[in-house]
């Protein structure tokens, strides 16, 4: 049985997460063409690839394996990146979602370091733990991607190890190659402390933005 996502709008102070749609294409095309120096190990579409990128994400969503979101900057009302729930796992019964991954995440350079990522993760984690009742949320990235690993660690996820030759490389010029993936997670027992730290971090960004 295919798990059917329930994908509500997730509203924060700095960012609003909206189910990804073709209406976000123009904003994402602009966001993707900002300084791309932070995308060394992450595939982010070029402006001319955004329509195909959205179509591909919607096709994945139709399989039940992905719930893609656009990240909307509340200050400007513009889409500044994307993120997703990914790989729902139900181990104990068909009625319960036990674990899920948060991934397919990218942000325009201008939105990085502004609190958007921290609040987006707070919204996604909170919905997964408190509405779906998952036991675990996991995140993974190219093991070489120090920037991405630092961002994951900054939102409270715990490093579990590196899985060698785990998935397809997204690094430019490495088409057809596999990468080592660094795996991180947050468990339900860890979530209350993680939530408190994330809320405090987002609050600091909110004060700074004001």
């Amino acid at each position: 049985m295919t798990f059917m996502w329930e994908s509500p709008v997730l509203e924060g102070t700095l960012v609003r997460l909206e189910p990804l749609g073709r209406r976000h294409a123009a904003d994402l095309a602009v966001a993707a063409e900002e300084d791309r120096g932070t995308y060394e190990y992450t595939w982010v579409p070029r402006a001319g690839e955004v329509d195909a990128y959205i179509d591909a994400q919607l096709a994945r969503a139709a399989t039940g394996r992905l719930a893609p979101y656009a990240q909307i900057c509340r200050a400007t009302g513009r889409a500044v990146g994307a993120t997703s729930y990914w790989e729902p796992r139900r181990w104990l019964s068909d009625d319960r979602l036990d674990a899920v991954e948060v991934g397919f995440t990218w942000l325009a350079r201008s939105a990085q370091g502004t609190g958007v990522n921290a609040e987006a993760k707070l919204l996604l984690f909170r919905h997964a733990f408190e509405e779906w009742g998952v036991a675990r949320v996991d995140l993974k990235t190219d093991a070489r991607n120090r920037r991405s690993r630092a961002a994951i660690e900054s939102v409270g996820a715990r490093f579990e190890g590196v899985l060698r030759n785990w998935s397809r490389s997204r690094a430019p010029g490495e088409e057809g190659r596999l990468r080592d993936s660094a795996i991180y997670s947050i468990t339900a027992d860890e979530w209350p402390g993680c939530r408190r730290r994330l809320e405090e971090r987002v609050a600091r960004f909110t004060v700074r933005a004001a």
Side-chain angles (χ1 to χ4, degrees):
M1 178 177 175
T2 300
F3 177 76
M4 298 307 295
W5 294 103
E6 160 261 335
S7 304
V9 172
L10 301 176
E11 194 85 41
T13 302
L14 301 171
V15 65
R16 180 174 64 255
L17 301 182
E18 298 178 355
L20 181 67
R22 293 180 180 87
R23 68 189 182 280
H24 301 116
D27 284 352
L28 292 179
V30 173
E33 289 299 334
E34 292 185 10
D35 179 359
R36 295 178 61 91
T38 61
Y39 302 149
E40 183 179 6
Y41 297 108
T42 302
W43 186 82
V44 175
R46 304 298 309 227
E49 299 170 324
V50 165
D51 287 338
Y53 162 79
I54 292 174
D55 288 344
Q57 293 297 74
L58 295 179
R60 291 186 180 101
T63 71
R65 296 182 62 200
L66 183 80
Y69 281 93
Q71 302 194 63
I72 312 298
C73 174
R74 291 288 306 275
T76 64
R78 298 181 65 85
V80 293
T83 191
S84 296
Y85 288 118
W86 172 238
E87 295 286 17
R89 299 188 296 284
R90 294 175 297 169
W91 294 312
L92 300 180
S93 76
D94 287 342
D95 300 326
R96 175 186 176 86
L97 184 63
D98 296 299
V100 69
E101 181 175 332
V102 169
F104 284 95
T105 300
W106 63 273
L107 277 175
R109 182 66 185 91
S110 61
Q112 296 173 27
T114 65
V116 165
N117 178 63
E119 189 171 48
K121 293 300 192 294
L122 173 62
L123 296 171
L124 291 165
F125 296 165
R126 186 170 63 198
H127 190 78
F129 284 115
E130 299 178 15
E131 299 299 325
W132 289 334
V134 300
R136 163 192 177 98
V137 170
D138 45 76
L139 306 95
K140 67 177 182 285
T141 189
D142 192 308
R144 301 166 294 179
N145 193 338
R146 295 184 181 277
R147 181 185 295 271
S148 179
R149 292 179 66 167
I152 291 171
E153 291 165 4
S154 75
V155 298
R158 180 176 296 186
F159 176 59
E160 294 188 332
V162 173
L163 300 178
R164 297 176 297 168
N165 290 342
W166 179 251
S167 59
R168 185 175 69 181
S169 175
R170 301 286 181 177
E174 293 188 358
E175 293 77 9
R177 293 176 56 183
L178 297 175
R179 75 176 195 193
D180 296 346
S181 291
I183 308 297
Y184 294 80
S185 72
I186 300 166
T187 66
D189 288 343
E190 296 165 344
W191 169 238
C194 178
R195 173 176 175 164
R196 183 174 59 254
R197 290 190 296 273
L198 269 175
E199 288 174 339
E200 291 170 352
R201 188 164 178 234
V202 169
R204 291 194 295 271
F205 278 112
T206 302
V207 169
R208 194 179 307 169

